């Protein structure tokens, strides 16, 4: 069986347009936390709603909270969040074959969620589907409708919702065929969901947090194990995510594996594992220290989640302050609700930043401390505030520096350091030379639809 296992090679998001505030807004909505630093995103009391519309984060970790995300416009008025300020800036898609005959869909692989949902022909004609590969259940001989099941997501920003019908079909992950895999067909996508790139999303968290009702369904990795498609001692998947700025990674070298570990990616290193607490459905582990340069900071009882569906790393405010205090000219900028530093900062001016996986620390590649142009000669940092969230989110800013092993069979998360001999300057091409522009983000409520 092992000889049949192959990599899922990732394809680049050619429409990638990084935007720090929008990426931060997406994570505020996804995890449903309250910001603790000033900026356009704020919290407002949650309006009464039916149980059907109960707001949850994508990961389901904030259900029942009393506040929801709001947005401050250019006049200081607080209202609903405009769809245009929520954006998931992910670099890569994973091609997945679904149906009989098989059709390929470019999906986001997300270890921070557990739904497999697709753009579908059930969406209304008013939704712009140009450039999308739509799943058509009528065109697949192996599709079966799950008549009593539906799915619905509602983010914590009041306006981001998605819902639809449920069925099962044949899913092919790099030659591994999963029979009767539950898939969620979108028949309603709010404007902010329509901005998510690709043809849908494949969640790789634990299935009990997905949004199918009346009962949650198993994820593709869970079904791979249940159907015996991978060895019992290899109930794993791995992620090797490259930086778009890395000179060695411009030839589509990012990949996932299912059922085996790529020995070349290990580089002869021993894997360091941390026990996973999946009680919240996430890949969550102890992360009790961080280091900035030569200074190590103890983080009592701190945990982190590994999330391939998040562009940024989110950490406690106190650690954010230490990191950016170590970068000349860095500051917190309320207009973009994030830390920024001068775009002409050189690698030797950046500190070595490490976060612990279990009891061992791993450094972020310096080039990935820069995320996006913020205007005015400043760059939006790849590490930002987690607000009142009770755990860190180690997204792609961190995961690009390691080869990650998600071991479902043994409830553990493993990493090794990526061996990259070339580092580019942590610089982002500026969109403009003018000052950081409030009008770029602070739209009026009349233009928020």
């Amino acid at each position: 069986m092992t000889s049949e296992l192959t990599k899922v090679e990732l394809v680049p998001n050619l429409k990638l347009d990084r935007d720090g505030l929008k990426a931060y807004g997406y994570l505020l909505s996804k995890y449903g936390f309250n910001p603790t630093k000033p900026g356009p995103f704020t919290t407002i009391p949650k309006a009464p709603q039916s149980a059907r519309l109960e707001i949850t984060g994508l990961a389901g970790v904030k259900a029942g909270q009393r506040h929801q995300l709001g947005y401050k416009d250019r006049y200081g008025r607080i209202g609903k969040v405009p769809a245009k300020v929520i954006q998931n800036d992910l670099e890569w898609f994973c091609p997945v074959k679904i149906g009989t005959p098989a059709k390929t869909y470019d999906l986001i692989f997300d270890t921070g969620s557990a739904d497999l949902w697709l753009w579908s022909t059930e969406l209304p004609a008013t939704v712009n589907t140009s450039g999308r590969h739509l799943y058509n259940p009528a065109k697949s001989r192996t599709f079966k409708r799950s008549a009593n099941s539906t799915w619905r997501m509602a983010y914590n920003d009041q306006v981001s919702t998605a819902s639809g019908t449920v069925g099962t079909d044949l899913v092919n992950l790099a030659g591994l065929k999963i029979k009767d895999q539950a898939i969620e067909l979108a028949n309603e996508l709010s404007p902010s969901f329509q901005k998510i790139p690709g043809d849908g999303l494949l969640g790789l968290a634990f299935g009990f947090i997905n949004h199918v009702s009346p009962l949650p369904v198993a994820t593709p990795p869970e079904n791979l194990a249940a159907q015996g498609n991978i060895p019992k001692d290899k109930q794993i998947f791995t992620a090797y995510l490259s930086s778009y700025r890395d000179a060695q990674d411009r030839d589509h070298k990012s990949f996932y594996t299912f059922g085996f570990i790529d020995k070349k990616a290990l580089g002869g290193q021993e894997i360091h594992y941390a026990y996973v607490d999946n009680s919240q459905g996430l890949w969550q582990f102890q992360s009790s220290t961080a280091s900035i340069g030569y200074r190590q900071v103890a983080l009592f009882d701190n945990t982190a989640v590994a999330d391939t569906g998040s562009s940024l790393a989110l950490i406690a405010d106190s650690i954010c302050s230490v990191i950016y205090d170590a970068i000349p000219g860095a500051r917190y900028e309320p207009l973009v609700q994030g830390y920024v530093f001068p775009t002409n900062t050189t690698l030797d001016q950046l500190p070595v930043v490490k976060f612990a996986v279990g009891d061992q620390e791993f450094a972020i590649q310096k080039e990935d401390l820069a995320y996006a142009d913020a205007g005015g000669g400043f760059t939006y940092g790849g590490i930002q505030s987690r607000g009142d969230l009770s755990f860190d989110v180690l997204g792609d800013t961190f995961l690009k520096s390691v080869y990650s092993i998600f071991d479902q069979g043994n409830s553990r998360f493993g990493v090794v350091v990526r061996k990259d001999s070339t580092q580019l300057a942590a610089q982002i091409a500026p969109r403009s030379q003018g000052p950081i522009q409030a009008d770029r983000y602070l739209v009026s409520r009349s233009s928020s639809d």
Side-chain angles (χ1 to χ4, degrees):
M1 174 67 72
T2 304
S3 61
E4 301 174 5
L5 304 180
T6 59
K7 298 178 183 178
V8 182
E9 295 186 354
L10 278 61
V11 296
N13 176 8
L14 299 179
K15 297 182 179 180
L16 178 67
D17 183 21
R18 290 172 173 271
D19 190 301
L21 179 65
K22 293 180 181 180
Y24 189 63
Y26 176 79
L27 293 179
L28 281 164
S29 296
K30 176 176 181 175
Y31 282 98
F33 64 92
N34 298 318
T36 52
K37 304 288 289 185
F41 289 107
T42 186
T43 55
I44 58 178
K46 187 170 69 173
Q49 16 187 353
S50 67
R52 172 176 166 76
L53 294 177
E54 177 68 17
I55 290 177
T56 66
L58 180 60
V61 296
K62 297 288 282 187
Q65 66 185 45
R66 296 181 179 179
H67 294 82
Q68 59 194 33
L69 196 62
Y71 195 81
K72 184 185 301 182
D73 69 16
R74 69 180 71 183
Y75 304 108
R77 300 175 302 186
I78 298 175
K80 70 177 184 178
V81 178
K84 64 178 67 179
V85 299
I86 299 291
Q87 180 171 302
N88 191 15
D89 298 327
L90 291 176
E91 295 180 25
W92 303 101
F93 301 125
C94 301
V96 177
K97 294 180 179 180
I98 302 175
T100 307
K103 183 177 178 180
T104 300
Y105 302 87
D106 293 331
L107 305 182
I108 295 171
F109 277 22
D110 181 10
T111 59
S113 67
D115 292 84
L116 197 176
W117 68 265
L118 302 169
W119 282 66
S120 81
T121 54
E122 297 182 357
L123 286 163
T126 53
V127 174
N128 181 7
T129 60
S130 175
R132 310 279 185 170
H133 302 102
L134 301 182
Y135 177 82
N136 186 345
K139 295 293 182 67
S140 174
R141 297 192 303 271
T142 44
F143 174 78
K144 301 174 186 176
R145 181 79 61 180
S146 301
N148 297 322
S149 295
T150 59
W151 67 283
R152 180 177 178 81
M153 297 182 192
Y155 284 9
N156 193 42
D157 57 11
Q158 309 179 72
V159 294
S160 297
T161 60
S163 61
T165 60
V166 180
T168 62
D169 208 339
L170 182 66
V171 173
N172 188 323
L173 285 176
L176 293 173
K177 295 182 179 180
I178 310 169
K179 298 178 181 179
D180 298 321
Q181 172 62 50
I183 55 175
E184 300 161 40
L185 286 61
N187 63 18
E188 179 265 332
L189 292 174
S190 67
S192 53
F193 261 89
Q194 293 174 35
K195 294 179 66 177
I196 295 176
D199 304 321
L201 182 145
L202 190 152
L204 295 167
F206 296 88
F208 66 85
I209 65 167
N210 73 30
H211 292 82
V212 174
S213 63
L215 294 173
V217 296
T219 64
E222 290 168 344
N223 278 330
L224 279 175
Q227 295 178 17
N229 291 334
I230 56 178
K232 291 184 178 180
D233 61 342
K234 294 294 183 182
Q235 294 180 18
I236 59 175
F237 63 91
T238 76
Y240 186 95
L241 306 178
S242 62
S243 168
Y244 79 102
R245 289 187 296 275
D246 195 314
Q248 295 197 69
D249 289 329
R250 288 178 176 166
D251 296 325
H252 314 304
K253 294 182 180 179
S254 293
F255 62 82
Y256 279 78
T257 70
F258 291 85
F260 76 101
I261 297 171
D262 186 82
K263 292 183 179 180
K264 182 178 180 181
L266 291 179
Q269 302 172 84
E270 183 176 349
I271 302 169
H272 175 76
Y273 285 103
Y275 168 75
V276 166
D277 174 5
N278 67 359
S279 60
Q280 296 192 81
L282 302 172
W283 290 90
Q284 188 167 359
F285 48 86
Q286 288 291 319
S287 181
S288 55
T289 63
S291 291
I292 300 91
Y294 294 105
R295 177 181 177 183
Q296 186 179 71
V297 181
L299 307 172
F300 178 73
D301 203 27
N302 188 63
T303 63
V305 300
D307 184 0
T308 61
S310 296
S311 300
L312 304 171
L314 304 180
I315 63 171
D317 288 346
S318 58
I319 306 302
C320 274
S321 297
V322 175
I323 291 171
Y324 289 99
D325 283 348
I327 302 175
R331 70 173 193 258
Y332 182 81
E333 177 50 67
L335 288 178
V336 293
Q337 204 151 2
Y339 287 92
V340 300
F341 58 86
T343 301
N344 62 1
T345 301
T346 59
L347 287 177
D348 62 332
Q349 293 176 304
L350 293 171
V352 175
V353 179
K354 300 179 181 180
F355 296 116
V357 175
D359 58 4
Q360 185 170 324
E361 292 183 343
F362 294 85
I364 291 177
Q365 297 182 109
K366 286 187 174 184
E367 65 182 41
D368 289 315
L369 294 176
Y371 179 69
D373 173 49
F378 282 87
T379 291
Y380 194 89
I383 301 172
Q384 297 294 340
S385 165
R386 74 182 194 189
D388 70 351
L389 195 61
S390 61
F391 52 79
D392 297 341
V393 177
L394 297 184
D396 293 353
T397 292
F398 174 81
L399 295 174
K400 291 175 188 176
S401 301
V402 297
Y403 177 43
S404 305
I405 295 90
F406 298 82
D407 188 343
Q408 290 183 145
N410 296 296
S411 297
R412 58 183 184 171
F413 172 68
V415 290
V416 298
V417 177
R418 280 190 41 189
K419 297 295 186 181
D420 293 330
S421 59
T422 303
Q423 287 278 292
L424 302 183
Q427 296 179 358
I428 300 289
R431 292 173 174 169
S432 66
Q433 296 298 324
I436 296 176
Q437 294 293 321
D439 285 350
R440 180 177 163 195
Y441 302 105
L442 304 187
V443 297
S444 65
R445 277 184 288 185
S446 61
S447 62
S448 64
D449 294 332

